[in-house]
Short mmCIF file of all heavy atoms in Angstrom, two decimals:
data_model
loop_
_atom_site.label_atom_id
_atom_site.label_comp_id
_atom_site.label_asym_id
_atom_site.label_seq_id
_atom_site.Cartn_x
_atom_site.Cartn_y
_atom_site.Cartn_z
N ASP I 1 -60.07 -48.86 -50.68
CA ASP I 1 -59.07 -47.79 -50.90
C ASP I 1 -59.50 -46.46 -50.30
O ASP I 1 -58.82 -45.45 -50.47
CB ASP I 1 -58.78 -47.62 -52.40
CG ASP I 1 -60.02 -47.23 -53.21
OD1 ASP I 1 -61.07 -46.92 -52.61
OD2 ASP I 1 -59.93 -47.23 -54.45
N GLY I 2 -60.68 -46.44 -49.62
CA GLY I 2 -61.11 -45.23 -48.92
C GLY I 2 -62.11 -44.38 -49.68
O GLY I 2 -62.67 -43.44 -49.11
N ARG I 3 -62.35 -44.70 -50.94
CA ARG I 3 -63.28 -43.88 -51.73
C ARG I 3 -64.72 -44.09 -51.28
O ARG I 3 -65.16 -45.22 -51.09
CB ARG I 3 -63.18 -44.23 -53.21
CG ARG I 3 -61.97 -43.69 -53.91
CD ARG I 3 -61.98 -44.07 -55.38
NE ARG I 3 -61.90 -45.53 -55.55
CZ ARG I 3 -62.02 -46.14 -56.74
NH1 ARG I 3 -62.29 -45.42 -57.82
NH2 ARG I 3 -61.92 -47.45 -56.82
N GLU I 4 -65.44 -42.97 -51.12
CA GLU I 4 -66.87 -43.04 -50.84
C GLU I 4 -67.60 -43.30 -52.16
O GLU I 4 -67.27 -42.69 -53.19
CB GLU I 4 -67.38 -41.75 -50.21
CG GLU I 4 -66.99 -41.57 -48.76
CD GLU I 4 -67.69 -40.39 -48.12
OE1 GLU I 4 -67.88 -39.38 -48.82
OE2 GLU I 4 -68.05 -40.48 -46.93
N VAL I 5 -68.58 -44.18 -52.12
CA VAL I 5 -69.30 -44.55 -53.34
C VAL I 5 -70.80 -44.62 -53.06
O VAL I 5 -71.24 -44.71 -51.91
CB VAL I 5 -68.82 -45.92 -53.89
CG1 VAL I 5 -67.39 -45.83 -54.38
CG2 VAL I 5 -68.98 -47.02 -52.83
N ALA I 6 -71.56 -44.57 -54.14
CA ALA I 6 -73.00 -44.81 -54.08
C ALA I 6 -73.26 -46.17 -54.72
O ALA I 6 -72.90 -46.39 -55.88
CB ALA I 6 -73.75 -43.71 -54.82
N VAL I 7 -73.85 -47.07 -53.97
CA VAL I 7 -74.09 -48.44 -54.43
C VAL I 7 -75.57 -48.59 -54.78
O VAL I 7 -76.44 -48.48 -53.91
CB VAL I 7 -73.70 -49.46 -53.35
CG1 VAL I 7 -74.02 -50.88 -53.82
CG2 VAL I 7 -72.22 -49.33 -53.02
N LYS I 8 -75.84 -48.81 -56.05
CA LYS I 8 -77.21 -48.91 -56.54
C LYS I 8 -77.58 -50.39 -56.67
O LYS I 8 -77.05 -51.10 -57.53
CB LYS I 8 -77.32 -48.20 -57.89
CG LYS I 8 -78.72 -48.08 -58.44
CD LYS I 8 -78.64 -47.27 -59.73
CE LYS I 8 -80.01 -46.92 -60.26
NZ LYS I 8 -79.89 -46.12 -61.49
N ARG I 9 -78.43 -50.85 -55.78
CA ARG I 9 -78.86 -52.25 -55.76
C ARG I 9 -80.18 -52.37 -56.50
O ARG I 9 -81.24 -52.03 -55.97
CB ARG I 9 -79.00 -52.71 -54.31
CG ARG I 9 -79.22 -54.20 -54.11
CD ARG I 9 -79.45 -54.50 -52.64
NE ARG I 9 -79.36 -55.93 -52.34
CZ ARG I 9 -79.66 -56.44 -51.15
NH1 ARG I 9 -80.07 -55.63 -50.16
NH2 ARG I 9 -79.55 -57.74 -50.95
N LEU I 10 -80.13 -52.84 -57.73
CA LEU I 10 -81.33 -52.88 -58.56
C LEU I 10 -82.34 -53.86 -57.97
O LEU I 10 -81.99 -54.91 -57.43
CB LEU I 10 -80.99 -53.27 -59.99
CG LEU I 10 -80.03 -52.33 -60.72
CD1 LEU I 10 -79.87 -52.77 -62.17
CD2 LEU I 10 -80.52 -50.90 -60.66
N SER I 11 -83.61 -53.51 -58.10
CA SER I 11 -84.68 -54.32 -57.56
C SER I 11 -84.69 -55.71 -58.19
O SER I 11 -84.46 -55.87 -59.39
CB SER I 11 -86.03 -53.63 -57.82
OG SER I 11 -87.10 -54.49 -57.52
N ARG I 12 -84.96 -56.71 -57.39
CA ARG I 12 -85.05 -58.07 -57.90
C ARG I 12 -86.28 -58.26 -58.77
O ARG I 12 -86.40 -59.26 -59.47
CB ARG I 12 -85.07 -59.06 -56.73
CG ARG I 12 -83.77 -59.04 -55.94
CD ARG I 12 -83.79 -59.96 -54.74
NE ARG I 12 -82.55 -59.85 -53.97
CZ ARG I 12 -82.29 -60.53 -52.86
NH1 ARG I 12 -83.21 -61.36 -52.39
NH2 ARG I 12 -81.15 -60.38 -52.24
N HIS I 13 -87.19 -57.29 -58.70
CA HIS I 13 -88.39 -57.34 -59.54
C HIS I 13 -88.17 -56.61 -60.86
O HIS I 13 -89.09 -56.51 -61.68
CB HIS I 13 -89.58 -56.74 -58.81
CG HIS I 13 -89.89 -57.40 -57.50
ND1 HIS I 13 -90.32 -58.71 -57.42
CD2 HIS I 13 -89.80 -56.96 -56.22
CE1 HIS I 13 -90.50 -59.05 -56.15
NE2 HIS I 13 -90.19 -58.00 -55.40
N SER I 14 -86.97 -56.08 -61.06
CA SER I 14 -86.67 -55.35 -62.30
C SER I 14 -86.78 -56.29 -63.49
O SER I 14 -86.43 -57.48 -63.42
CB SER I 14 -85.25 -54.77 -62.24
OG SER I 14 -84.87 -54.26 -63.50
N LYS I 15 -87.28 -55.76 -64.60
CA LYS I 15 -87.43 -56.57 -65.81
C LYS I 15 -86.13 -56.65 -66.59
O LYS I 15 -86.04 -57.32 -67.62
CB LYS I 15 -88.53 -55.97 -66.71
CG LYS I 15 -89.92 -56.03 -66.08
CD LYS I 15 -90.97 -55.45 -67.01
CE LYS I 15 -92.36 -55.51 -66.38
NZ LYS I 15 -93.39 -54.93 -67.27
N GLN I 16 -85.10 -55.98 -66.10
CA GLN I 16 -83.82 -55.98 -66.80
C GLN I 16 -83.09 -57.30 -66.56
O GLN I 16 -82.86 -57.71 -65.43
CB GLN I 16 -82.95 -54.82 -66.31
CG GLN I 16 -81.68 -54.64 -67.12
CD GLN I 16 -80.85 -53.49 -66.58
OE1 GLN I 16 -80.57 -53.42 -65.41
NE2 GLN I 16 -80.48 -52.59 -67.44
N GLY I 17 -82.73 -57.99 -67.64
CA GLY I 17 -82.00 -59.24 -67.53
C GLY I 17 -80.51 -58.99 -67.45
O GLY I 17 -80.04 -57.85 -67.53
N SER I 18 -79.73 -60.06 -67.30
CA SER I 18 -78.29 -59.93 -67.15
C SER I 18 -77.64 -59.34 -68.40
O SER I 18 -76.69 -58.56 -68.31
CB SER I 18 -77.66 -61.29 -66.81
OG SER I 18 -77.95 -62.24 -67.82
N GLU I 19 -78.14 -59.71 -69.58
CA GLU I 19 -77.58 -59.16 -70.82
C GLU I 19 -77.82 -57.66 -70.90
O GLU I 19 -76.91 -56.90 -71.25
CB GLU I 19 -78.19 -59.86 -72.04
CG GLU I 19 -77.58 -59.40 -73.36
CD GLU I 19 -78.14 -60.14 -74.55
OE1 GLU I 19 -78.89 -61.12 -74.35
OE2 GLU I 19 -77.83 -59.73 -75.69
N GLU I 20 -79.04 -57.22 -70.57
CA GLU I 20 -79.34 -55.80 -70.58
C GLU I 20 -78.50 -55.06 -69.55
O GLU I 20 -78.03 -53.95 -69.78
CB GLU I 20 -80.83 -55.57 -70.30
CG GLU I 20 -81.75 -56.03 -71.42
CD GLU I 20 -83.21 -55.93 -71.00
OE1 GLU I 20 -83.59 -56.61 -70.02
OE2 GLU I 20 -83.95 -55.19 -71.64
N PHE I 21 -78.33 -55.69 -68.38
CA PHE I 21 -77.53 -55.08 -67.32
C PHE I 21 -76.09 -54.87 -67.79
O PHE I 21 -75.51 -53.79 -67.61
CB PHE I 21 -77.56 -55.97 -66.08
CG PHE I 21 -76.66 -55.50 -64.97
CD1 PHE I 21 -77.05 -54.47 -64.12
CD2 PHE I 21 -75.42 -56.08 -64.77
CE1 PHE I 21 -76.22 -54.04 -63.09
CE2 PHE I 21 -74.58 -55.66 -63.75
CZ PHE I 21 -74.98 -54.63 -62.91
N MET I 22 -75.50 -55.87 -68.42
CA MET I 22 -74.12 -55.75 -68.89
C MET I 22 -74.00 -54.74 -70.02
O MET I 22 -72.98 -54.05 -70.14
CB MET I 22 -73.59 -57.12 -69.33
CG MET I 22 -73.35 -58.09 -68.17
SD MET I 22 -72.31 -57.37 -66.86
CE MET I 22 -70.82 -56.95 -67.78
N ASN I 23 -75.04 -54.62 -70.84
CA ASN I 23 -75.03 -53.58 -71.89
C ASN I 23 -75.00 -52.20 -71.26
O ASN I 23 -74.30 -51.29 -71.73
CB ASN I 23 -76.26 -53.72 -72.79
CG ASN I 23 -76.15 -54.89 -73.74
OD1 ASN I 23 -75.06 -55.39 -74.00
ND2 ASN I 23 -77.28 -55.34 -74.26
N GLU I 24 -75.79 -52.04 -70.17
CA GLU I 24 -75.81 -50.76 -69.47
C GLU I 24 -74.44 -50.46 -68.87
O GLU I 24 -73.94 -49.35 -68.96
CB GLU I 24 -76.88 -50.77 -68.37
CG GLU I 24 -76.95 -49.46 -67.59
CD GLU I 24 -78.01 -49.49 -66.50
OE1 GLU I 24 -78.81 -50.45 -66.47
OE2 GLU I 24 -78.02 -48.56 -65.69
N VAL I 25 -73.82 -51.47 -68.26
CA VAL I 25 -72.50 -51.29 -67.67
C VAL I 25 -71.49 -50.88 -68.74
O VAL I 25 -70.71 -49.94 -68.56
CB VAL I 25 -72.03 -52.59 -66.97
CG1 VAL I 25 -70.56 -52.49 -66.57
CG2 VAL I 25 -72.88 -52.86 -65.74
N ALA I 26 -71.51 -51.58 -69.87
CA ALA I 26 -70.57 -51.29 -70.95
C ALA I 26 -70.76 -49.88 -71.48
O ALA I 26 -69.79 -49.19 -71.83
CB ALA I 26 -70.73 -52.31 -72.08
N LEU I 27 -72.01 -49.45 -71.54
CA LEU I 27 -72.31 -48.09 -72.02
C LEU I 27 -71.79 -47.05 -71.05
O LEU I 27 -71.02 -46.15 -71.44
CB LEU I 27 -73.82 -47.93 -72.19
CG LEU I 27 -74.36 -46.49 -72.32
CD1 LEU I 27 -73.80 -45.83 -73.57
CD2 LEU I 27 -75.87 -46.47 -72.33
#
């Protein structure tokens, strides 16, 4: 749609699991 965005690609070595990631997103 033309919007400029910042894409944060979390490190694959991050200790954050998928559940923690989704909690962060929901927050």
